[in-house]
């Protein structure tokens, strides 16, 4: 019977990722979400997060990460995948809601939306897809670190934080999976009043993908400029992207302003125990359960025209 087959599928998946069917996250598992996890190839990421936690108890630089906080975070992530509300949970949990506090409801909706833009040559730039299960594999694009099986603690903030997304590039020359990735965050300035800012990091290509990645940077910048304009917030890029940003804004006939500034940013507490970024800090990854303010960060800032 179909019901028996569905129950067997759920029980088998729960067991294979290292959980018990009658307790903890396994007790919450439903067939639909398990099927979505299988289709998203989440067996390896989930098992690595469940079984690989001892490797997450120290940062890249050898500083301790609280094991109990890691266990709680992993349990929440896995539970919400298995019960089918992973994406909704990312934005609605209390820590995530605090990260977005100060945005209007329209801005929150724009931020959470898995925005997609199409470009020449059939290239698609997208913030994953509805459900956001692609986040589990996103950090495997462009290198092994910050992955579910290498420095797994560095993946937790992407999975658990409302402020953290990725911009992915899908190129028809590499049809297997997205071949480009850039970390994308919503942060706050330390000024008074504090203002939201979209923070884009470098665009990385999958080492295995045989693609011409040279056009991607401007495509990604076009995508995030559109997002910043829709949200009516500033966009922060590395200064090496300034020329590309200027070209994109000109092509779009944009009337916003571009300037280089050194700002300090507020990092509200992380729901992923740590924060991990080579651009926000020189520490690579660090425990970030309280609010912090970064040092001065020299960046290229795009401010959309106020209408």
């Amino acid at each position: 019977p179909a019901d028996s087959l569905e129950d067997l599928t759920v029980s088998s998946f729960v067991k294979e990722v290292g959980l018990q069917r009658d307790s903890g996250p396994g007790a919450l598992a439903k067939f639909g979400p398990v099927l979505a996890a299988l289709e998203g190839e989440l067996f390896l990421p989930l098992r690595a997060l469940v079984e690989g936690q001892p490797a997450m108890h120290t940062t890249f630089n050898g500083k301790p990460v609280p094991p109990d906080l890691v266990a709680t975070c992993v349990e929440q992530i896995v539970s919400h995948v298995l019960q089918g509300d992973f994406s909704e949970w990312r934005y609605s949990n209390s820590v995530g809601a605090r990260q977005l506090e100060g945005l209007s409801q329209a801005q929150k909706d724009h931020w959470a939306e898995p925005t997609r833009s199409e470009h020449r040559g059939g290239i698609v730039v997208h913030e994953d897809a509805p459900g956001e299960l692609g986040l589990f594999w996103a950090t495997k694009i462009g290198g092994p670190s910050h992955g579910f099986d290498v420095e797994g603690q560095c993946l937790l903030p992407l999975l658990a934080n409302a402020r953290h997304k990725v911009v992915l590039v899908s190129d028809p020359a590499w049809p297997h999976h997205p071949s480009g990735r850039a970390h994308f965050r919503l942060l706050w300035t330390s000024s008074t009043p504090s203002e939201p800012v979209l923070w884009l990091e470098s665009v990385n290509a999958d080492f295995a993908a045989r693609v011409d990645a040279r056009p991607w940077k401007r495509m990604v910048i076009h995508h995030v400029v559109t997002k910043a304009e829709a949200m009516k917030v500033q966009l922060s890029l590395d200064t090496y992207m300034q020329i590309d940003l200027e070209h994109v804004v000109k092509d779009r006939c944009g009337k916003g302003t571009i300037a280089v500034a050194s700002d300090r940013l507020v990092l509200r507490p992380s729901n992923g125990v740590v924060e991990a970024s080579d651009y926000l800090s020189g520490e690579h990854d660090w425990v970030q359960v309280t609010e912090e303010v970064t040092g001065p960060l020299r960046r290229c800032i795009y401010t959309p025209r106020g209408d």
Side-chain angles (χ1 to χ4, degrees):
D3 288 347
S4 298
L5 183 58
E6 291 181 2
D7 288 343
L8 180 60
T9 301
V10 172
S11 295
S12 297
F13 185 82
V14 166
K15 178 181 178 181
E16 290 301 319
V17 298
L19 301 171
Q20 300 295 319
R21 183 68 178 101
D22 58 356
S23 63
L28 303 171
K30 303 174 184 177
F31 177 71
V34 166
L35 182 60
L38 286 167
E39 291 173 340
E41 300 184 20
L42 295 198
F43 165 66
L44 284 178
L46 293 180
R47 181 160 182 166
L49 291 175
V50 170
E51 296 189 345
Q53 291 179 47
M56 305 180 203
H57 295 165
T58 55
T59 67
F60 177 79
N61 291 314
K63 296 181 180 179
V65 180
D68 58 329
L69 298 185
V70 171
T72 298
C73 183
V74 170
E75 180 174 336
Q76 289 178 337
I77 290 167
V78 176
S79 294
H80 289 285
V81 169
L82 295 181
Q83 67 189 39
D85 63 347
F86 171 69
S87 184
E88 293 85 348
W89 165 77
R90 279 175 25 84
Y91 302 101
S92 64
N93 71 76
S94 60
V95 180
R98 169 60 185 144
Q99 292 172 357
L100 304 185
E101 186 177 299
L103 296 179
S104 68
Q105 188 57 52
Q107 288 174 317
K108 292 176 183 178
D109 292 343
H110 275 302
W111 172 246
E113 177 187 67
T115 312
R116 169 189 174 99
S117 58
E118 298 182 2
H119 301 267
R120 66 182 182 275
I123 295 173
V124 177
V125 177
H126 53 111
E127 295 159 36
D128 195 27
E132 296 189 296
L133 297 184
L135 298 183
F136 287 84
W137 282 96
T139 53
K140 284 295 186 180
I141 301 170
S145 67
H146 294 210
F148 51 79
D149 57 345
V150 179
E151 299 168 8
Q153 76 280 0
C154 297
L155 178 59
L156 298 182
L158 171 59
L159 299 177
N161 280 331
R163 71 180 176 212
H164 199 166
K165 305 180 79 172
V166 287
V167 178
L168 301 176
V169 180
S170 290
D171 192 317
W174 185 256
H176 315 289
H177 51 70
S179 47
R181 179 265 302 161
H183 284 285
F184 193 35
R185 292 177 174 86
L186 189 147
L187 301 175
W188 296 86
T189 65
S190 64
S191 59
T192 303
S194 184
E195 299 289 343
V197 57
L198 301 186
W199 168 279
L200 182 74
E201 297 188 0
S202 61
V203 181
N204 297 284
D206 192 314
F207 294 163
R210 297 181 179 180
V211 294
D212 178 8
R214 290 174 295 179
W216 292 358
K217 188 179 1 174
R218 290 191 183 178
M219 294 176 179
V220 170
I221 292 173
H222 184 283
H223 179 95
V224 295
V225 163
T226 302
K227 188 100 170 179
E229 290 176 345
M231 295 181 64
K232 297 181 172 58
V233 300
Q234 290 185 329
L235 170 67
S236 174
L237 309 175
D238 202 299
T239 53
Y240 78 84
M241 295 183 180
Q242 182 173 354
I243 293 176
D244 295 292
L245 174 61
E246 290 170 349
H247 277 281
V248 167
V249 172
K250 182 179 179 181
D251 289 345
R252 289 171 51 82
C253 300
K255 296 183 180 179
T257 61
I258 297 172
V260 173
S262 293
D263 294 324
R264 297 176 184 269
L265 296 176
V266 176
L267 301 179
R268 294 173 178 176
S270 171
N271 195 44
V273 187
V274 304
E275 184 52 276
S277 171
D278 291 323
Y279 295 83
L280 289 168
S281 168
E283 294 188 62
H284 186 273
D285 61 292
W286 64 99
V287 175
Q288 205 258 303
V289 294
T290 59
E291 186 168 294
E292 298 178 6
V293 178
T294 70
L297 300 167
R298 184 174 172 80
R299 302 276 288 182
C300 185
I301 308 298
Y302 172 66
T303 303
R305 177 185 62 184
D307 292 326

